[in-house]
């Protein structure tokens, strides 16, 4: 039995490349976090445009709180061990009737992190279901890395619109989440999400990934936070935590991290987009 996950959940992650759902926050706490996020969104709209949605935990207190939540870290520890770095975060917000989608892909193909032992935590701050574009996974597809095609599709919300061709969608498993629940997936598992066809926002906050300190960035040096245990190796520049929303030094750090992310995620690409 793990600290947070059951033996069955840990086995499912190893077998399938993901585990879902995992209870993290109460519905009341999830509603509180959503309200805090949307209050910040109304007050600081510039913090929710384009690349600013990447690594917003460095400049918004409510997202920093999620990253360092004890239950979330306990679950991560069950999968990656007691010493944990947070590489970064992404806000995935799909507005009502938003045509944006995420194509079938593997995170490990383009993140530059080696070895592929980190886990992504996808935290729902709103309902996530088939109607509004919850995540879908291909069980067991974390066995090998596939080739990806860069599409740069207008409605594809991935950086390059990268996708794995010829995915057998009959094997796909949806991972619906209630507010306050999370899923965890391997950087190697093939996953996607469909457009939001509902009348409410679909708000997902993604820690990508929680990882042990022996992971290295192979493309461009960048930052990470130590969120639990120790980091004896120092493979990443150390990122701090915000003490208030939108402090100038924190925004400068976020922008510095995002500049390195752009160089990493678009490495070898024929064009770049502002996210």
């Amino acid at each position: 039995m793990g600290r947070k996950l059951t033996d069955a959940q840990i086995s499912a992650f190893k077998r399938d490349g993901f585990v879902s759902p995992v209870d993290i926050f109460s519905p009341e706490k999830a509603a509180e976090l959503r309200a805090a996020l949307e209050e910040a969104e109304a007050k600081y709209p510039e913090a929710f445009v384009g690349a600013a949605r990447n690594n917003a935990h460095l400049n918004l207190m409510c997202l920093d709180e999620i990253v360092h939540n004890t239950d979330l870290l306990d679950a991560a520890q069950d999968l990656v061990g007691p010493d944990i770095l947070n590489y970064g975060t992404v806000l995935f917000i799909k507005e009502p009737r938003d045509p944006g989608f995420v194509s079938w892909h593997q995170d490990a193909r383009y993140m530059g992190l080696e070895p592929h032992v980190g886990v992504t935590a996808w935290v729902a701050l709103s309902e996530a279901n088939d109607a509004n574009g919850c995540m879908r996974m291909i069980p067991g597809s974390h066995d090998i890395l596939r080739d990806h095609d860069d599409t740069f599709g207008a409605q594809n919300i991935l950086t390059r619109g990268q996708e794995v061709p010829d995915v057998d969608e009959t094997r796909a498993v949806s991972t619906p989440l209630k507010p306050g629940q999370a899923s965890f997936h391997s950087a190697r598992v093939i996953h996607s999400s469909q457009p939001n066809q509902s009348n409410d926002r679909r708000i997902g906050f993604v820690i990508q990934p929680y990882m042990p300190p022996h992971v290295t960035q192979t493309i461009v040096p960048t930052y990470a936070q130590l969120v639990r245990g120790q980091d004896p190796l120092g493979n990443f520049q150390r990122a701090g935590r915000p003490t208030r929303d939108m402090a100038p030094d924190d925004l400068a750090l976020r922008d510095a991290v995002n500049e390195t992310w752009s160089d990493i995620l678009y490495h070898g690409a024929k064009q770049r987009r502002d996210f």
Side-chain angles (χ1 to χ4, degrees), residues 180 192 196 238:
S192 71
N196 181 359
R238 186 64 54 82

Side-chain angles (χ1 to χ4, degrees), residues 87-134:
Y87 180 70
T89 65
V90 181
L91 273 169
F92 282 112
I93 301 176
K94 292 182 182 177
E95 301 296 344
R97 304 295 171 178
D98 187 341
F101 70 97
V102 173
S103 53
W104 293 111
H105 70 287
Q106 295 166 298
D107 300 333
R109 171 56 71 184
Y110 55 95
M111 291 186 71
L113 297 174
E114 297 281 354
H116 306 146
V117 293
V119 298
T120 295
W122 203 105
V123 181
L125 296 183
S126 69
E127 187 92 11
N129 52 42
D130 284 318
N132 67 13
C134 69

Side-chain angles (χ1 to χ4, degrees), residues 40 44 46-48 51-64 89 91 225 240-255 258:
Y44 310 109
E46 70 278 9
F48 293 82
R53 288 188 178 185
N54 296 339
N55 296 302
H57 69 290
L58 296 173
N59 55 275
L60 292 175
M61 297 292 289
C62 60
L63 299 182
D64 171 80
T89 65
L91 273 169
Q225 287 179 325
R241 299 180 63 178
T243 56
R244 60 185 175 89
D245 285 349
M246 302 296 283
D249 287 349
D250 296 333
L251 290 171
L253 174 60
R254 179 204 66 189
D255 291 345
N258 286 344

